[in-house]
Amino acid sequence: MTTQDGMIRHDWSVGEIAALYELPLLELVGRANAVHRQFHDPNHVQKASLLSIKTGGCPENCAYCPQSAHHREVDLTRDMLMDPQTVIAMAATAKAAGAERFCMGAAWRQVRDGKEFDAVIDMVEGVRRLDMEACVTLGMLKPHQAERLAQAGLTAYNHNLDTSPEFYSRIITTRTYQDRLETLSTVRAAGIELCCGGIIGMGESVRDRAAMLHVLAGFAPHPESVPINALVPVEGTPLARRPRIDPLELVRMVATARIVMPHATVRLSAGRSSLNREAQILCLMAGANSIFYGDTLLTTPNAGIGEDAELLAAIGPLQPQHTSASAA
């Protein structure tokens, strides 16, 4: 399949991507919507549910993350790894509420063999038995661990780049950019889909945003799933005082990701709770075709299920208007 430009590209330059991002907004959204309609059903929005299966105490120092053990002023209760049967039951509840994909996150630097990893394997197998897509984010992992996850039926592994290679060291110093790329290579080698995106609103430039998309678009094939997150400032983290981004910046990021990675599922992720209904619909028009469904994204607030039901009803087919006989 080809884009309106004639091909799926892996050779975008940072400058080209930045130029797309800075197009007049209506032109950018129009281009992105055309690509989106060519490769996806414009009326389908996948609902994914996200659960923190092990919370807090992470040895990484990601400046945005309340789960980091480095950020001692964050008000967060640390929890041990959840029981697999509890997780599977919660996945079943999410499915009953309309979720098609169940994502599980553990605040680990890396996967370690043993009882806890065995429990995660049980969770993945249980979610797949529910006929749901299963995604996990567990930090770095070795090839044999990726193989175990693949054998358990894991659909996708989430491991975000977060930002550009140039800006990365201002956000994280306990893990290198190359560490992240190696984990993604390990996941791909095991035949597991990549779920990989980033965060905007951390103080990065437009060029940094373009550079992150440049790395993702350079993968062959492109990541199957690209979450676009807006920073949710959390008290006690180094980025607690960052202002919320303008919602239209999120629209631009979604639209640009859609154009440079036409096949990908672009996920409107963290930060969505601060968007009004119309801004969310504009993101969907710009190429987002998945939302995280549920009240919490790991440890930060998300739009409520009731609000999402209203959003999806608003963008669905109009219901027939009933008129009374006297009004006819």
Side-chain angles (χ1 to χ4, degrees):
M1 299 180 72
T2 60
T3 68
Q4 58 186 172
D5 294 325
M7 61 181 176
I8 299 292
R9 293 181 54 184
H10 302 281
D11 63 347
W12 291 93
S13 71
V14 175
E16 285 178 304
I17 296 173
L20 282 174
Y21 186 98
E22 294 180 317
L23 283 171
L25 183 64
L26 298 183
E27 181 178 351
L28 174 60
V29 171
R31 287 194 192 183
N33 184 260
V35 173
H36 183 62
R37 297 176 76 88
Q38 184 175 353
F39 287 87
H40 303 273
D41 177 356
N43 294 311
H44 178 68
V45 179
Q46 187 193 56
K47 297 182 285 294
S49 182
L50 177 59
L51 175 67
S52 179
I53 58 174
K54 184 269 178 185
T55 303
C58 181
E60 304 283 14
N61 67 351
C62 308
Y64 54 81
C65 186
Q67 301 206 61
S68 171
H70 295 257
H71 311 327
R72 301 182 185 280
E73 296 180 8
V74 173
D75 183 15
L76 180 71
T77 301
R78 296 185 182 184
D79 294 320
M80 301 297 288
L81 186 71
M82 295 177 67
D83 173 72
Q85 293 308 311
T86 300
V87 171
I88 295 165
M90 295 178 76
T93 299
K95 180 179 180 179
E100 304 162 56
R101 184 179 179 104
F102 195 72
C103 308
M104 296 162 278
W108 291 337
R109 170 178 166 76
Q110 61 190 26
V111 175
R112 298 185 184 280
D113 295 319
K115 291 182 179 180
E116 289 194 328
F117 185 46
D118 293 344
V120 172
I121 295 295
D122 290 342
M123 295 175 196
V124 171
E125 292 175 340
V127 171
R128 295 296 284 146
R129 284 195 297 271
L130 295 171
D131 196 28
M132 300 180 77
E133 295 181 5
C135 179
V136 295
T137 179
L138 311 171
M140 297 182 289
L141 78 168
K142 297 181 174 66
H144 74 275
Q145 296 163 336
E147 290 291 342
R148 282 196 69 191
L149 289 165
Q151 291 166 8
L154 185 69
T155 308
Y157 195 90
N158 170 259
H159 199 68
N160 289 334
L161 292 177
D162 289 342
T163 188
S164 70
E166 296 78 14
F167 192 71
Y168 182 84
S169 63
R170 294 180 57 181
I171 302 300
I172 305 157
T173 60
T174 51
R175 185 192 310 184
T176 68
Y177 212 78
Q178 186 59 38
D179 287 335
R180 291 185 180 265
L181 294 175
E182 289 176 3
T183 296
L184 293 169
S185 178
T186 297
V187 170
R188 183 64 90 194
I192 299 169
E193 293 182 3
L194 294 186
C195 178
C196 185
I199 307 169
I200 64 173
M202 299 188 293
E204 76 289 339
S205 66
V206 166
R207 191 166 182 84
D208 286 314
R209 296 173 189 177
M212 183 191 74
L213 293 178
H214 170 256
V215 176
L216 294 174
F219 294 163
H222 293 152
E224 288 80 6
S225 170
V226 179
I228 301 297
N229 301 274
L231 176 70
V232 178
V234 177
E235 195 66 38
T237 66
L239 298 181
R241 296 293 173 261
R242 289 294 313 171
R244 295 270 188 172
I245 65 161
D246 184 325
L248 295 183
E249 294 296 305
L250 197 59
V251 175
R252 287 184 175 277
M253 193 67 177
V254 166
T256 308
R258 169 52 65 222
I259 292 171
V260 301
M261 291 174 283
H263 279 297
T265 295
V266 177
R267 302 185 185 277
L268 188 55
S269 304
R272 187 168 66 88
S273 62
S274 65
L275 304 182
N276 64 24
R277 183 180 68 170
E278 290 72 25
Q280 293 182 65
I281 290 172
L282 193 52
C283 285
L284 297 175
M285 288 183 62
N289 54 346
S290 176
I291 59 173
F292 281 102
Y293 199 60
D295 296 332
T296 305
L297 289 183
L298 295 182
T299 58
T300 55
N302 191 38
I305 287 177
E307 295 172 277
D308 283 340
E310 293 177 3
L311 170 68
L312 295 172
I315 64 175
L318 288 175
Q319 298 302 311
Q321 296 294 315
H322 297 288
T323 55
S324 65
S326 59

